[in-house]
Amino acid sequence: MNRIGILSAMWVEAENLYQAMEPDTVTIYEYNSMRFYDGVLCGCPVVLSTCGVGKINAAIYTQLMLDRFHVDRLIHTGIAGSLDPAVRHLDVVAAERLTYHDVRKSQLTELFPYRESFETEPQLTEILLQSAKEQCEEKQDGTQAHKGLILTGDAFVTNPEQKSLLKAHFPQTLCVEMESCAIAHTAYVNKVPIGIIRCISDLADGGAQEDYAAFEKKAADKAAEIVLKALKKIEI
């Protein structure tokens, strides 16, 4: 049976998806202290879970989902901080490519998996991007959908100097967060297609703490709404 795995870091990012699942279809499993919700969402068989914050948690629970549920595709949804002036609060970024900002290039390119970055699956990414564009248009709030590079690292970026340094080292990057590349990395070594969508909660600058508090729920909900739209377009 074709099944889609959906992962978020935090429950605030997954809650609306769980609420939208057909309740009579949901079976709850618990492995290594995390719950996995196996059921039907927008007509699609899915397994929904959270992985916790950070690269290690992301890799552990992605692999656990793949091993236990044998999903055919992965969708990762959540919030992020902007690293580009064109990407503003509640804008959306569909990942085309992902890399780490806190791992030496040689660790990735000279040893397995012999690559500096990880790509998302083009068709799934286009479905997420189109769904994001539709959502932005429906909101009529001036927000936009983008596609490009996302950075991952074990740091909540709140320092303007750190933000500038990351942008200088990765000029094409659109946003930064703490899980997506680890999830894409795990999907890559397991040969599982992945799509990733992130909604902007803050600008990764001196006001990031205040912005995060104000926009966390709005950004998480918007990203979840985009996933719901995308699931209706995916052929199972």
Side-chain angles (χ1 to χ4, degrees):
M1 179 176 65
N2 292 328
R3 185 185 284 162
I4 298 172
I6 305 175
L7 273 166
S8 296
M10 303 176 293
W11 185 244
V12 69
E13 298 163 323
E15 183 174 13
N16 282 8
L17 297 171
Y18 170 71
Q19 294 294 341
M21 293 179 75
E22 297 177 22
D24 292 342
T25 69
V26 176
T27 303
I28 302 174
Y29 301 89
E30 187 168 321
Y31 299 113
N32 295 4
S33 302
M34 285 294 184
R35 288 187 173 185
F36 294 79
Y37 303 89
D38 186 5
V40 176
L41 179 61
C42 298
C44 296
V46 304
V47 178
L48 171 70
S49 189
T50 55
C51 63
V53 174
K55 303 196 304 288
I56 294 174
N57 284 330
I60 289 171
Y61 289 100
T62 302
Q63 188 64 57
L64 187 58
M65 177 178 280
L66 294 173
D67 289 344
R68 294 285 186 172
F69 296 96
H70 308 289
V71 298
D72 303 279
R73 282 168 281 189
L74 283 170
I75 294 175
H76 176 47
T77 174
I79 60 182
S82 171
L83 285 183
D84 191 282
V87 181
R88 308 300 298 172
H89 294 102
L90 299 182
D91 275 10
V92 182
V93 178
E96 184 174 38
R97 186 166 59 91
L98 304 104
T99 194
Y100 302 107
H101 66 75
D102 58 356
V103 176
R104 290 178 300 174
K105 184 188 297 187
S106 61
Q107 288 177 246
L108 299 171
T109 56
E110 296 175 16
L111 302 169
F112 184 80
Y114 308 109
R115 57 192 302 114
E116 183 179 355
S117 61
F118 301 88
E119 289 74 38
T120 54
E121 200 280 316
Q123 184 178 7
L124 185 52
T125 299
E126 285 304 313
I127 290 172
L128 288 168
L129 180 64
Q130 183 58 41
S131 299
K133 289 179 178 178
E134 292 171 5
Q135 187 66 11
C136 289
E137 290 172 1
E138 289 172 13
K139 293 288 186 182
Q140 297 184 336
D141 55 5
T143 57
Q144 299 182 48
H146 312 263
K147 181 175 74 170
L149 175 65
I150 291 180
L151 284 186
T152 296
D154 282 320
F156 179 38
V157 180
T158 61
N159 183 297
E161 289 76 22
Q162 184 184 15
K163 177 178 179 176
S164 296
L165 186 63
L166 290 176
K167 189 65 173 176
H169 278 92
F170 304 94
Q172 294 180 315
T173 192
L174 297 180
C175 65
V176 61
E177 42 68 71
M178 299 175 68
E179 298 83 26
S180 292
C181 190
I183 294 173
H185 186 157
T186 308
Y188 173 80
V189 300
N190 284 276
K191 298 181 174 60
V192 175
I194 187 168
I196 294 172
I197 199 82
R198 289 278 185 165
C199 188
I200 301 302
S201 60
D202 61 87
L203 304 183
D205 57 13
Q209 297 282 4
E210 293 78 9
D211 284 353
Y212 186 88
F215 289 100
E216 176 195 26
K217 184 70 166 63
K218 293 177 182 178
D221 288 351
K222 186 171 182 178
E225 290 165 3
I226 291 164
V227 172
L228 293 175
K229 283 183 174 293
L231 288 174
K232 296 173 184 176
K233 298 180 173 69
I234 294 174
E235 294 183 7
I236 299 298

